[in-house]
Structure formats: structure tokens, C-alpha cells
Amino acid sequence: MSLPHAILTALLEKPSSGLELTRRFDKSIGYFWSATHQQIYRELGRLEADGHIRALPSEQPARGQKKSYEVLPAGRAELARWTAASQDPKPHRDVMLLRLRAAAVVGTAGIEADLRRHLDLHRLQLAEYQEIEKRDFPPGRDAPQDRLRHLVLRAGIDLETFWTQWLTHALEEFAELPGSEPA
């Protein structure tokens, strides 16, 4: 249910075409709510049919021309309703944690190398988030919208920090297991 709300948020920030939305998802919202190009276009059609968005008038014939969309009052009201509604947190699902649990009964072959690979990936993501923070949130940038966007980014930074610390600890544990591979 959240993809239409992610799209409404992005369109309220800036009216965009489907392609522009896809690119913006890849650079911002996609860090915490991913969607494929096809999902975004399908949802744009639903939002338009529901009267939440409309295609902006084009100066040229629409054939072959990309459509840009804007949010209508009904879309803004829906986003405000959804934002104000209470929602319970979703249970966390992580395949690596399940694989570690399985390794306890079938053996650890391949897990340590994948833990190292995951650590490298989380370190790269953490560095990317820290670079975004440095670039987009300098000291003194404290408008309410900026503070809320920064809060979302801080969640990403804190999660990546957690994962790098946890994976480092997991690899230390692996080093102490009998028959473990040398580090």
C-alpha cells in the first residue's frame, strides 16, 4: 500500500514524468522503498484513474511525448490521511540471519565469505549515505522539511552503522569457531 504514497510524496516535492520518478527513486526514496520502472508506471495509472494525480498539459501533441504528473487535492488529502494514520512496525526479515540459523544445523560452509562480502557492501552504503549527508545537510540547514529529510537519512546511516558493527562482531565470532577459516 505504500508505493502510491511514495509516489505522491515524490510528486508533491516536484512534478515529474515516470522516467524522472524512476531516476529520483534510484537516488533517494529507493534507498528505503524500492520500486521498478514498471511498478511506478502502473501505479501512476492507478493514481490518475483514482483522481489523485493528473498529467500536466503538454505544449505539443502527447504521442511520443513524456507525461509529467502533478498531485491533485484528493492526492494530497490521501497522503495526509495515510501519514497521520497509525501503523505497526513490520517484522524484520533478513536472509543472512536465517542462513546463520540454518548453518547451526547444517554447517557453515560459504557463510564466512558471504559475511565479509556483506560487510563490504554495508561499508560502501554507509560511505555513500555519509557523503549525501555531508553534501546535502551542512550545518545550519534546519528548515523543517530539511530536518525531516535528514532524519530519514540518519536512519539509513544508523542502520548501516549497525550492520557494519554486527557483521564485524559476527566475523570475530567465526574466527573463534572450531575449524573456521583463517582471517
Side-chain angles (χ1 to χ4, degrees), residues 15 68 81 84 94 96 100 113 134 136 147 149 160 174:
S68 286
R81 182 210 58 77
D94 189 281
M96 178 57 78
L100 281 171
K134 182 179 172 184
D136 293 349
R147 291 177 72 174
R149 288 182 185 118
E160 294 304 327
F174 259 79

Side-chain angles (χ1 to χ4, degrees), residues 2-14 16 20-36 40 79 82 125 128-129 132 136 149 152-153 156:
S2 295
L3 180 56
H5 301 101
I7 291 171
L8 287 170
T9 299
L11 289 175
L12 279 168
E13 291 174 341
K14 178 182 176 194
S16 304
E20 291 166 338
L21 276 174
T22 300
R23 289 179 180 149
R24 289 176 53 214
F25 261 70
D26 289 345
K27 294 179 183 176
S28 62
I29 291 174
Y31 285 122
F32 56 91
W33 198 268
S34 62
T36 66
I40 289 172
L79 187 59
W82 179 80
Q125 189 64 65
E128 184 175 347
Y129 286 163
I132 291 169
D136 293 349
R149 288 182 185 118
V152 172
L153 179 61

Side-chain angles (χ1 to χ4, degrees), residues 155-167:
I157 290 170
D158 292 348
L159 284 169
E160 294 304 327
T161 299
F162 162 79
W163 281 114
T164 57
Q165 291 172 348
W166 183 85
L167 287 160

Side-chain angles (χ1 to χ4, degrees), residues 21-140:
L21 276 174
T22 300
R23 289 179 180 149
R24 289 176 53 214
F25 261 70
D26 289 345
K27 294 179 183 176
S28 62
I29 291 174
Y31 285 122
F32 56 91
W33 198 268
S34 62
T36 66
H37 187 78
Q38 293 83 5
Q39 289 171 316
I40 289 172
Y41 273 94
R42 189 170 41 246
E43 202 56 55
L44 284 169
R46 286 185 191 131
L47 288 166
E48 190 172 25
D50 291 345
H52 291 160
I53 65 171
R54 73 174 178 125
L56 291 169
S58 177
E59 295 176 9
Q60 300 178 4
R63 188 164 186 86
Q65 183 83 4
K66 67 180 180 181
K67 286 191 213 178
S68 286
Y69 296 90
E70 69 177 354
V71 177
L72 295 171
R76 180 181 283 277
E78 168 54 24
L79 187 59
R81 182 210 58 77
W82 179 80
T83 301
S86 176
Q87 292 185 4
D88 292 335
K90 300 284 186 224
H92 181 72
R93 294 171 52 165
D94 189 281
V95 71
M96 178 57 78
L97 298 177
L98 181 57
R99 288 175 60 213
L100 281 171
R101 183 71 182 248
V105 293
V106 298
T108 61
I111 296 287
E112 187 172 3
D114 210 29
L115 285 169
R116 291 184 192 289
R117 187 178 71 80
H118 279 234
L119 179 57
D120 289 342
L121 292 171
H122 284 287
R123 283 179 174 157
L124 285 171
Q125 189 64 65
L126 177 58
E128 184 175 347
Y129 286 163
Q130 289 170 330
E131 184 57 37
I132 291 169
E133 182 179 45
K134 182 179 172 184
R135 181 192 69 220
D136 293 349
F137 299 100

